[in-house]
Amino acid sequence: MTYTLTNTSSVIRDADGAWIPDDISNSDWQTYQSWLAEGNTPNPYVPPPPAIPQQVPMWAVRTVLQNDGLFDQAQALINETSDVALKNVWEYGNFADRNSRAINVLAIELGLTAAHVDQMFIDATNLSV
């Protein structure tokens, strides 16, 4: 972003024409420019983390597991379990809820952290067909 002094006053505008407070002196301005030249950024914007989707389609869960190389492990777990409800959710479920027992069981058995599961749900939401 480029800042310039306008007229003979110390009123400053950025490249977009926004006003910068006019109480900055010329020596302060030079110090500020030196500070920027060192690679510093004024008030950097840090975007908030993306919202974690609470529900995603099961096809997307399977796709993300495939993309992450975890699908075969998940399928083996489903094949070996005696949990009929878990099998039915895997085979016939339309959606996966982030905090469901099925997702928690898969996460534990696959050794996934909560952050990894969150990222998988974000990735699943970003898929398109």
Side-chain angles (χ1 to χ4, degrees):
M1 182 168 290
T2 304
Y3 294 96
T4 58
L5 290 173
T6 60
N7 300 327
T8 56
S9 69
S10 61
V11 175
I12 303 167
R13 292 181 189 233
D14 67 16
D16 298 322
W19 292 96
I20 304 297
D22 62 358
D23 59 353
I24 189 169
S25 71
N26 203 19
S27 64
D28 289 339
W29 177 246
Q30 290 170 350
T31 302
Y32 178 67
Q33 287 296 322
S34 297
W35 181 78
L36 287 175
E38 293 170 1
N40 295 299
T41 308
N43 301 322
Y45 173 71
V46 177
I52 308 302
Q54 294 304 299
Q55 189 179 67
V56 296
M58 279 302 293
W59 68 263
V61 170
R62 288 187 191 91
T63 302
V64 169
L65 286 168
Q66 288 170 338
N67 291 345
D68 290 352
L70 296 169
F71 181 82
D72 291 340
Q73 287 177 268
Q75 187 65 58
L77 172 72
I78 298 300
N79 292 341
E80 294 170 4
T81 187
S82 61
D83 187 335
V84 176
L86 182 59
K87 285 185 178 191
N88 285 335
V89 166
W90 182 257
E91 293 296 325
Y92 308 111
N94 292 323
F95 294 94
D97 291 321
R98 171 61 185 89
N99 295 312
S100 69
R101 188 178 68 80
I103 293 299
N104 288 330
V105 167
L106 284 172
I108 290 167
E109 293 298 322
L110 295 174
L112 305 177
T113 65
H116 190 172
V117 175
D118 288 345
Q119 187 59 53
M120 291 174 75
F121 267 65
I122 291 168
D123 294 344
T125 297
N126 292 328
L127 292 173
S128 61
V129 181

